[in-house]
Amino acid sequence: LDAHAHSVIATNLPLTPYNVFQFCGDRMGMERIIRMLKDDYPFGAAPTGNFEANAPCAELSMLAYNLIVWFKRLCLPEDWQSFTLPTIRHRLLMIPGEFVKTHNIPTLRMPRNTLHQEIFREAQKRIAKLSPLV
């Protein structure tokens, strides 16, 4: 069952079955992104009734979405890359910790029994290895 996916699409489009599936598949992927933007990012509802005022909010939500996608691809292990923003937020970004200065160097100290501490540390290492964009 894991190797196969089944879909039913009813349409009157004058396309071959393969092209109908491609067309609808692309739209379904976009619908999933829109739902994610509405549920997980700040642009769940337009803040005003003015298109020009709402456009920057939508752009900021897309920027936040893209940053999270790249963070997952570049910094997280492969088995974490399919996680949603709420899951990443809960498991990784809301880890309790305390900033302390050791030898005048700010350091993040976490409790020893923190669940996903090794993933957090690995993400930190991968971030440090990234090249700047400029």
Side-chain angles (χ1 to χ4, degrees):
L1 208 58
D2 290 337
H4 303 286
H6 301 281
S7 300
V8 175
I9 301 170
T11 182
N12 61 356
L13 292 173
L15 300 172
T16 65
Y18 178 78
N19 289 338
V20 167
F21 182 77
Q22 286 296 113
F23 174 75
C24 292
D26 291 343
R27 287 189 65 174
M28 288 185 284
M30 184 53 78
E31 302 254 343
R32 197 174 22 235
I33 290 171
I34 290 169
R35 185 176 59 241
M36 201 181 323
L37 285 171
K38 285 179 143 186
D39 294 344
D40 301 340
Y41 293 85
F43 197 65
T48 73
N50 183 309
F51 177 80
E52 288 82 15
N54 292 337
C57 295
E59 292 292 328
L60 287 173
S61 289
M62 285 302 301
L63 175 63
Y65 170 80
N66 287 331
L67 288 172
I68 291 296
V69 167
W70 281 109
F71 171 72
K72 290 192 305 186
R73 286 185 182 175
L74 296 174
C75 303
L76 296 181
E78 193 170 328
D79 57 331
W80 278 57
Q81 292 181 13
S82 63
F83 289 175
T84 63
L85 179 60
T87 302
I88 290 173
R89 186 182 296 130
H90 177 73
R91 292 187 184 179
L92 202 61
L93 302 178
M94 294 180 75
I95 293 176
E98 177 183 20
F99 275 110
V100 296
K101 279 193 175 183
T102 306
H103 305 294
N104 210 21
I105 299 172
T107 306
L108 178 62
R109 185 181 301 159
M110 294 182 222
R112 288 189 188 134
N113 61 350
T114 301
L115 271 178
H116 304 288
Q117 189 173 162
E118 66 283 348
I119 302 293
F120 185 90
R121 296 286 184 211
E122 183 61 31
Q124 275 186 313
K125 288 178 190 172
R126 290 182 183 188
I127 290 169
K129 290 180 184 177
L130 291 175
S131 300
L133 294 175
V134 278

